[in-house]
């Protein structure tokens, strides 16, 4: 009982801070994160109201700790948003983040304020029947994310994605390549660089609208569209809703406004170009660039599509010889690299992301991200895993000791640790957040920031425990590289560009020089005995490595306006408790209906659908009730989805007078590294067929993953006993095995199901393409398929709204062997089309195929699957 009491206290221990406009929900240890969030939200509340025109009621928000994961999300249906506590680290561009809690809270708060804005008839329907009648939720993602990117960038000229330079310069690159994004591309964001096009195109488009029509036009548009109760139709026919509202506010439809935007950007970036000579053709991201004096090393990240709506991120560390141009992949990884690479004494050091349990979150079942530090011998390829920690930054000192920083828990700043001889020793705590460390000849440089500042350049004196300023500006300076002990090379986004600069450390008054200012550059190094600068730069396909003769020129930092930060905080804040969480369980959707029960419209059913959930996402429920007037028959179904006992998942379903079920799942293992990275146990109990049958089905699932291979195994054993008051005795088992082998840009897959369920009176029907359904109680079913992309269609329409992305062809062989030894098999080919509709939210896979079965019959077939119904097993 004592243990149960302790566990319940732990699960019920959400606390709250309440102000006039917000209720922050958090675990007790996270009071400081809650205070910082509330301070920013209240201070900038009227700014969001002015931007969206929506005076929202009190908004619940949840603080979650997912380790080294920086993110947040908003839920306009359940009316809450969540933010994760970790400030962003290494990225492919220098996005200003003067204060993470300001940036993320403004972004997510803008989502809620925009998406819940209603007027007129839509407002009445929303008040009566709930969140699904909020018209603004029926918008394309570039619009939904565009206003939030604009919002996060509107507070300070040095914070947010529109102020980093990357968004602007990518548009410049597209103008330079004469491939400006269309409204069709922005809406459907095909799988190509920059992968998150909704944010980029939407943010840039809203910036254009603010300059051309004024930011006050946003709230007029949200009010106009927010009054259209027919807005769901706009997802298929934008002319009926979105374009109608755009014409009222802007005088033209969105396709016309995109044409205006294109003309504006083509004039703005008509002189845009990349400096230097391009030496790679990568079509993706480069996340770090270093040199050992002879070779270059970089991290290549790309997202590769292998099947219809199936893609995988690939992370590779590449060695590049500048003298020959030859490249060699040193290692291909299952998870992203989270810190800049380091080379020290013929060894490469790199960190990868990993999952571990025990974090204060519900969204990821209590798992959070940490970092694994690897050491690789560049001469013989030997690999060593050194240690795991939440490593924000690290460097290798001259005596081979590893110096690394971790964020302080629940405070602003960093802890500095030394690792040597397998031992960790904490040497200092700083109030500055240390983002990057580099070492050379006994000197350590750091990129670090105080609260409400971007990272600046410092020299770290460990003996005196001091950060000595080298260069302080409102912009972002990083990544760093020692060209020589007296020169520090770095990247900075002075004036919304991103160039390569160097600063002398030998003089009392450091001299600043510019290596390259044109285009958008992210990192720079030099090879030994050469006056050649190698650096990464942006083009329309992504990042590549460029080179040019080093010719630095003196540089003066442009004058800059002061940054912005809160000067006062909410005066009235109340402490709350778990009752504030329970209040958020009120039904978010209350949808009554009257539907015909037959085609002659002589019989009718009436009923209601309710759904809701608490702000923490621990509990979600739906209730469906329907009554037939003709036969006086009622149907009642209730479902409860609970993660209250995270990481345990509980699903319960009840159908009146017919069935009740309970499904429990517990993850024993979740990892990102190669090999065994998923192990889950489950149990499913069910009473059905008017409660005459009762099953107990324990199960287990294992997942293995490598960069190019995915293996999954699942076992379920359904059992029934007459002694449990079930109408049958039953012993069944099902084993599913699936393998995907990813070959360049093709996929070879094999899946098999072996089962025995002979005591089950409900005989299963097995599908073999070209043969029709086969009733079987025992047997083996196998599928082998090779899939290859035929062509990228990339074509669609705005009205009606649909998009054809890629077309795939597949060769297959299906085989089924029953328990009696009867064989059924077929072989054939099929075409798979990626079809998107409704602003890309609806995704379908039409499949057209021809199969020849063992009876030598040729059978054409057609299937229409949703993307979630893709019959091939998913990534573990």
């Amino acid at each position: 009982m004592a243990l149960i009491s302790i566990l319940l206290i732990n699960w019920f221990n959400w606390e709250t801070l309440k102000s006039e406009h917000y209720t922050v929900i958090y675990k007790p240890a996270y009071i400081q994160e809650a205070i910082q969030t509330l301070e920013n939200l209240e201070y900038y509340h009227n700014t969001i109201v002015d931007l969206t025109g929506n005076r929202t009621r009190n908004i619940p928000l949840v603080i979650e700790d997912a380790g080294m994961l920086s993110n947040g999300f908003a839920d306009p249906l359940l009316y809450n948003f969540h933010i994760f506590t970790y400030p962003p680290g290494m990225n492919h561009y220098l996005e200003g983040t003067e204060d993470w809690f300001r940036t993320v809270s403004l972004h997510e708060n803008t989502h809620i304020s925009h998406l819940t804005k209603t007027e007129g008839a839509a407002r009445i329907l929303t008040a009566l029947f709930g969140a699904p009648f909020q018209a603004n939720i029926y918008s394309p993602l570039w619009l939904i994310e565009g206003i939030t990117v604009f919002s996060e960038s509107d507070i300070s000229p040095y914070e947010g994605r529109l102020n980093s330079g990357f968004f602007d310069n990518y548009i410049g690159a597209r103008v330079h390549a004469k491939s400006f994004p269309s409204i069709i591309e922005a809406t459907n964001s095909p799988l190509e660089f920059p992968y998150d096009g909704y944010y980029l195109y939407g943010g840039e488009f809203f910036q254009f609208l603010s300059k051309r029509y004024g930011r006050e036009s946003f709230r007029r548009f949200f009010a106009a569209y927010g009054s259209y109760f027919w807005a769901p139709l706009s997802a298929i026919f934008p002319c009926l809703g979105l374009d109608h509202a755009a014409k009222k506010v802007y005088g033209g439809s969105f396709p016309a406004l995109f044409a205006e935007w294109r003309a504006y950007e083509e004039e703005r970036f008509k002189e845009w170009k990349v400096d230097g000579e391009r030496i790679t053709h990568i079509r993706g991201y480069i996340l770090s660039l270093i040199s050992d004096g002879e070779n270059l090393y970089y991290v290549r990240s790309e997202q590769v599509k292998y099947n219809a709506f199936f893609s995988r991120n690939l992370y590779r560390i590449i060695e590049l010889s500048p003298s020959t141009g030859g490249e060699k992949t040193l290692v291909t990884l299952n998870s992203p690299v989270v810190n800049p690479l380091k080379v020290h004494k013929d060894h490469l050091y790199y960190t990868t992301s990993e999952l571990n349990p025990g974090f204060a979150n519900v969204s990821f079942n209590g798992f959070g991200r940490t970092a694994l530090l690897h050491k690789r011998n560049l001469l013989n390829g030997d690999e060593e895993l050194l240690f795991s920690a939440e490593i924000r930054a690290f460097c290798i000192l001259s005596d081979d000791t590893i110096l690394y920083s971790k964020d302080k828990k629940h405070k602003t700043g960093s802890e500095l640790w030394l690792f040597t001889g397998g031992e960790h020793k904490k040497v200092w705590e700083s109030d500055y957040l240390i983002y990057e460390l580099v070492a050379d000849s006994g000197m350590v440089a750091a990129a670090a920031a105080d609260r409400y500042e971007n990272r600046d350049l410092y020299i770290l004196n460990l003996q005196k425990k001091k950060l000595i300023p080298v260069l302080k500006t409102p912009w972002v300076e990083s990544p760093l590289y020692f060209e020589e002990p007296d020169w520090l090379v770095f990247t900075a986004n002075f004036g919304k560009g991103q160039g390569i600069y160097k600063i002398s450390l030998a003089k009392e008054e450091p001299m600043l020089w510019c290596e390259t200012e044109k285009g958008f550059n992210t990192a720079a190094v030099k090879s030994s005995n050469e006056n050649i600068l190698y650096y990464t730069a942006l083009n329309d396909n992504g990042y590549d490595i460029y080179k040019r003769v080093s010719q630095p020129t003196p540089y003066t930092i442009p004058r800059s306006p002061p940054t912005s930060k809160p000067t006062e905080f909410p005066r009235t804040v109340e402490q709350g408790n778990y009752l504030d969480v329970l209040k958020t369980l009120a039904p978010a959707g209350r949808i009554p209906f009257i539907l015909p029960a037959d085609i002659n419209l002589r019989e009718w059913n009436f009923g209601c659908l309710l759904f809701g959930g608490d702000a923490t996402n621990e509990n979600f429920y739906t209730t469906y009730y329907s009554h037939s007037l003709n036969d006086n028959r009622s149907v009642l179904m209730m479902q409860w989805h609970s993660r209250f006992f995270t990481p345990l998942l509980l699903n319960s379903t009840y159908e009146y007078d017919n069935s009740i079920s309970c499904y429990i799942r517990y993850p024993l293992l979740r990892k990102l590294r190669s090999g065994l990275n998923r192990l889950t146990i489950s149990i499913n109990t069910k009473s059905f067929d008017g409660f005459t049958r009762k099953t107990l089905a324990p199960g287990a699932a294992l997942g293995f993953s490598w960069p190019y291979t995915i293996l999954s195994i699942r076992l379920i054993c359904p059992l029934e006993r007459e002694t449990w008051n079930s109408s049958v005795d039953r012993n069944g088992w099902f084993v599913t095995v699936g393998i995907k082998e990813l070959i360049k840009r093709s996929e070879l897959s094999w899946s098999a199901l072996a089962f025995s369920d002979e005591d089950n009176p409900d005989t299963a029907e097995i599908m073999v393409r070209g043969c029709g359904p086969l009733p079987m109680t025992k047997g083996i079913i196998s599928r082998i398929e090779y899939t290859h992309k035929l062509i990228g269609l990339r074509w669609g329409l705005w009205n009606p709204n649909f998009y054809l992305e890629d077309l795939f062809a597949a060769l297959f062989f299906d085989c089924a062997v029953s328990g009696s030894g009867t064989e059924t098999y077929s072989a054939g080919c099929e075409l798979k089309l990626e079809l998107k509709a409704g602003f890309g939210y609806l995704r379908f896979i039409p499949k057209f195929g021809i199969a020849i079965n063992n009876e030598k019959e040729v059978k054409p077939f057609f299937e229409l699957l949703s993307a979630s119904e893709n019959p091939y097993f998913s990534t573990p």
Side-chain angles (χ1 to χ4, degrees):
M1 285 299 295
L3 177 61
I4 293 174
S5 299
I6 292 171
L7 291 176
L8 287 176
I9 290 171
N10 181 60
W11 282 311
F12 277 109
N13 70 345
W14 290 104
E15 295 181 355
T16 63
L17 285 179
K18 297 183 287 186
S19 63
E20 180 181 359
H21 303 107
Y22 305 94
T23 297
V24 185
I25 302 169
Y26 61 95
K27 292 292 186 178
Y30 293 81
I31 178 69
Q32 291 303 317
E33 290 88 340
I35 290 172
Q36 289 183 57
T37 303
L38 192 58
E39 287 175 350
N40 281 299
L41 285 169
E42 281 293 350
Y43 185 81
Y44 294 105
H45 174 76
N46 289 333
T47 303
I48 303 300
V49 171
D50 180 66
L51 184 67
T52 64
N54 188 9
R55 294 196 171 273
T56 52
R57 66 184 191 275
N58 192 280
I59 305 174
L61 63 126
V62 182
I63 305 293
E64 296 195 88
D65 183 356
M68 298 175 65
L69 178 63
S70 307
N71 212 331
F73 65 88
D75 188 339
L77 294 179
L78 297 185
Y79 195 71
N80 64 71
F81 63 90
H82 291 226
I83 64 174
F84 304 128
T85 57
Y86 196 79
M90 185 177 92
N91 209 332
H92 55 274
Y93 58 91
L94 303 182
E95 177 189 336
T97 310
E98 295 174 311
D99 186 84
W100 168 242
F101 291 98
R102 174 169 70 179
T103 299
V104 67
S105 62
L106 281 173
H107 184 105
E108 304 306 337
N109 187 20
T110 303
H111 271 316
I112 295 296
S113 189
H114 161 223
L115 296 173
T116 62
K117 171 66 175 175
T118 54
E119 294 287 345
R123 186 180 191 125
I124 296 171
L125 291 173
T126 300
L128 291 174
F129 306 127
F133 293 90
Q134 297 169 149
N136 273 296
I137 65 176
Y138 302 99
S139 301
L141 272 175
W142 57 259
L143 195 156
I144 291 173
E145 296 297 347
I147 185 59
T148 57
V149 169
F150 180 88
S151 174
E152 74 185 34
S153 309
D154 197 39
I155 299 302
S156 165
Y158 314 107
E159 186 168 81
R161 279 167 276 199
L162 291 177
N163 294 318
S164 74
F166 169 68
F167 278 24
D168 272 3
N169 279 272
Y170 183 66
I171 294 298
R174 295 291 295 265
V175 169
H176 180 72
K178 296 181 172 54
S179 61
F180 193 84
S182 68
I183 192 171
I184 305 300
E185 179 184 343
T187 301
N188 294 280
S189 194
L191 192 72
E192 58 190 26
F193 190 90
Y195 305 123
D196 55 357
Y198 307 118
Y199 297 87
L200 196 155
Y201 305 138
E204 289 289 317
F205 180 65
F206 267 88
Q207 183 167 254
F208 158 74
L209 291 179
S210 72
K211 292 178 179 178
R212 179 67 56 88
Y213 298 98
R215 68 195 302 278
E216 72 281 354
S217 67
F218 301 158
R219 60 177 179 266
R220 291 189 284 117
F221 172 78
F222 298 148
Y225 187 54
S227 68
Y228 296 168
F229 65 86
W230 62 89
L233 295 176
S234 184
I236 304 299
F237 298 100
C239 59
L240 300 178
L242 275 175
D243 287 342
H244 190 266
K247 288 177 181 178
K248 288 178 62 176
V249 175
Y250 298 110
S253 66
F254 275 115
L257 291 170
F258 261 66
E260 282 187 40
W261 175 42
R262 174 173 184 161
Y264 166 82
E265 300 291 18
E266 287 178 343
E267 176 62 26
R268 183 161 71 122
F269 290 112
K270 61 184 179 183
E271 303 297 331
W272 191 95
K273 69 174 185 176
V274 183
D275 256 353
E277 177 188 349
R278 183 176 179 177
I279 62 173
T280 63
H281 292 79
I282 288 174
R283 304 184 69 89
Y285 288 104
I286 295 177
L287 300 180
S288 178
L289 177 66
I290 58 169
S291 173
D292 63 357
E294 180 179 350
N295 294 314
L296 303 178
Y297 301 90
Y298 67 91
V299 180
R300 177 178 178 179
S301 169
E302 62 177 330
Q303 201 167 347
V304 181
K305 186 184 293 184
Y306 295 99
N307 205 334
F309 293 120
F310 172 77
S311 63
R312 188 164 173 82
N313 288 314
L314 292 179
Y315 308 96
R316 291 185 285 167
I317 298 178
I318 309 293
E319 179 183 83
L320 169 65
S321 170
S323 59
T324 66
E327 289 189 338
K328 179 173 68 174
T329 298
L330 298 181
V331 59
T332 304
L333 302 165
N334 236 32
S335 61
V337 174
V338 293
N339 299 111
L341 303 174
K342 308 291 182 186
V343 171
H344 179 74
K345 296 180 180 178
D346 294 322
H347 286 85
L348 175 73
Y349 296 80
Y350 64 94
T351 54
T352 57
S353 186
E354 186 54 284
L355 283 177
N356 283 302
F359 287 83
N361 70 69
V362 176
S363 298
F364 299 98
N365 294 317
F367 287 83
R369 294 203 178 193
T370 60
L372 299 174
L373 181 58
H374 305 256
K375 178 182 179 182
R376 182 182 182 87
N377 189 311
L378 292 172
L379 301 179
N380 59 25
D382 288 346
E383 187 96 17
E384 181 183 357
L385 178 60
L386 297 179
F387 63 89
S388 173
E390 293 182 46
I391 305 169
R392 166 73 69 175
F394 78 95
C395 65
I396 319 300
L397 304 181
S398 56
D399 62 356
D400 298 340
T401 299
I402 296 173
L403 172 68
Y404 67 96
S405 71
K406 300 195 303 183
D407 291 9
K408 291 181 183 177
K409 278 292 186 183
H410 316 304
K411 295 180 183 178
T412 301
S414 296
E415 299 173 355
L416 281 168
W417 292 73
L418 291 175
F419 176 80
T420 183
E423 299 292 329
H424 299 262
K425 179 184 177 182
K426 185 163 72 170
V427 293
W428 185 34
E429 285 192 12
S430 171
D431 291 335
Y432 282 72
L433 193 59
I434 298 175
Y435 285 90
E436 189 177 358
L437 294 165
V438 292
D440 186 67
S441 301
M443 184 178 290
V444 178
D450 200 356
R451 193 179 175 196
Y452 292 109
E453 289 183 359
N454 281 316
R455 66 195 85 163
D456 290 308
L457 304 185
Y458 297 86
I459 295 297
L460 173 62
N461 188 319
L462 272 180
Q463 287 71 34
K464 295 182 179 180
K465 296 180 171 53
K466 290 180 63 177
L467 284 170
I468 303 167
V470 173
L471 181 66
K472 288 182 67 67
T473 77
W475 287 285
V476 188
E477 293 95 37
S478 180
L480 313 180
Y481 167 71
F482 273 114
E483 182 180 317
E484 298 170 0
D486 292 339
W487 286 95
L488 188 63
V489 180
F490 63 95
T491 307
N493 60 344
F494 299 143
K496 290 190 179 182
Q498 194 158 296
I500 307 298
Y501 304 88
K502 59 191 293 187
I503 190 166
S504 169
L505 303 175
K507 300 180 180 180
E508 292 185 7
E509 291 294 329
M511 294 182 63
L512 184 62
W513 299 75
C514 177
E515 287 277 16
T516 176
E517 196 176 15
K518 291 182 180 179
F520 188 84
N521 313 299
T522 60
V525 294
K526 277 187 177 181
S527 284
S528 60
N529 303 320
E530 287 185 320
N531 193 36
I532 302 296
L533 186 75
Y534 295 91
Y535 54 97
T536 60
L538 178 69
N539 55 58
D540 61 307
N541 290 317
Y543 288 94
D544 277 296
I545 297 175
Y546 291 73
K547 71 175 184 179
R548 59 173 291 177
V549 176
S550 176
Q551 296 176 327
T553 57
Y555 185 79
T556 301
I557 298 173
R559 295 183 60 133
S560 53
T563 189
S564 171
K565 59 183 177 181
T567 55
E568 61 183 48
F569 303 111
R571 298 183 180 88
T572 305
V573 177
E574 298 179 14
Q575 187 83 42
N577 51 43
Y578 196 75
L579 289 176
D580 295 309
V581 177
L582 294 179
K583 291 176 184 177
T584 64
L585 281 167
R590 311 166 292 276
I591 307 173
F593 60 82
I594 301 176
L595 298 172
D598 68 349
I599 60 174
N600 297 317
L601 304 181
R602 287 179 292 195
E603 297 183 12
W604 293 81
N605 293 340
F606 70 90
C608 183
L609 173 67
L610 299 176
F611 69 86
D614 67 40
T616 67
N617 281 346
E618 286 183 335
N619 297 284
F620 181 83
Y621 64 88
T622 57
T623 300
Y624 170 85
Y625 173 77
S626 176
H627 183 77
S628 173
L629 293 175
N630 295 72
D631 57 13
N632 201 31
R633 181 175 176 271
S634 295
V635 174
L636 173 65
M637 294 185 66
M638 295 186 294
Q639 186 176 59
W640 176 43
H641 175 95
S642 177
R643 291 190 283 186
F644 184 75
F645 299 104
T646 295
L648 183 141
L649 170 69
L650 173 66
N651 261 332
S652 297
T653 304
Y654 171 76
E655 183 181 353
Y656 172 71
D657 207 25
N658 184 49
S659 69
I660 186 170
S661 66
C662 180
Y663 174 71
I664 300 173
R665 186 181 70 198
Y666 190 89
L668 294 174
L669 175 70
R670 286 285 189 274
K671 293 294 181 184
L672 297 177
R673 71 183 75 175
S674 294
L676 175 64
N677 53 23
R678 185 188 68 174
L679 175 57
T680 303
I681 57 173
S682 63
I683 187 166
N684 191 4
T685 61
K686 186 175 183 180
S687 179
F688 59 106
D689 278 359
F691 306 112
T692 61
R693 294 183 60 186
K694 297 173 178 64
T695 63
L696 175 68
L702 291 88
F704 300 81
S705 180
W706 295 268
Y708 298 105
T709 305
I710 305 166
L711 167 64
S712 67
I713 303 170
R714 188 180 182 194
L715 169 67
I716 301 175
C717 298
L719 309 171
E720 294 186 62
R721 295 292 183 268
E722 291 180 352
T723 54
W724 303 342
N725 292 323
S726 184
S727 60
V728 298
D729 276 323
R730 176 186 174 201
N731 292 298
W733 56 267
F734 295 77
V735 177
T736 305
V737 179
I739 300 176
K740 282 180 184 285
E741 187 66 31
L742 309 178
I743 309 166
K744 292 188 177 179
R745 296 181 184 269
S746 302
E747 174 191 293
L748 179 64
S749 66
W750 172 72
S751 59
L753 168 64
F755 69 100
S756 175
D757 199 14
E758 296 177 285
D759 302 320
N760 189 358
D762 299 327
T763 303
E765 290 188 338
I766 305 302
M767 296 299 298
V768 173
R769 284 171 283 192
C771 298
L774 305 173
M776 292 175 60
T777 60
K778 183 178 181 180
I780 300 175
I781 302 96
S782 172
R783 280 187 165 191
I784 300 175
E785 183 170 302
Y786 174 77
T787 303
H788 182 76
K789 177 181 167 182
L790 279 184
I791 188 172
L793 299 173
R794 312 298 168 91
W795 180 84
L797 293 177
W798 176 247
N799 275 296
N801 197 270
F802 73 93
Y803 185 70
L804 308 179
E805 188 160 326
D806 293 326
L807 180 65
F808 294 81
L811 301 174
F812 65 85
F813 177 78
D814 293 356
C815 179
V817 181
S818 69
S820 62
T822 303
E823 294 185 7
T824 304
Y825 55 85
S826 68
C829 59
E830 63 183 23
L831 295 175
K832 307 177 192 179
L833 177 64
E834 291 180 325
L835 170 63
K836 297 179 180 177
F839 301 142
Y841 297 118
L842 304 176
R843 300 186 175 200
F844 303 99
I845 306 173
K847 297 170 59 178
F848 307 85
I850 297 177
I852 303 174
N853 61 31
N854 54 304
E855 301 293 333
K856 298 183 179 180
E857 299 172 318
V858 178
K859 295 287 186 72
F861 61 89
F862 170 77
E863 291 180 86
L864 180 62
L865 305 175
S866 72
S868 61
E869 293 174 333
N870 198 333
Y872 309 102
F873 61 88
S874 59
T875 304

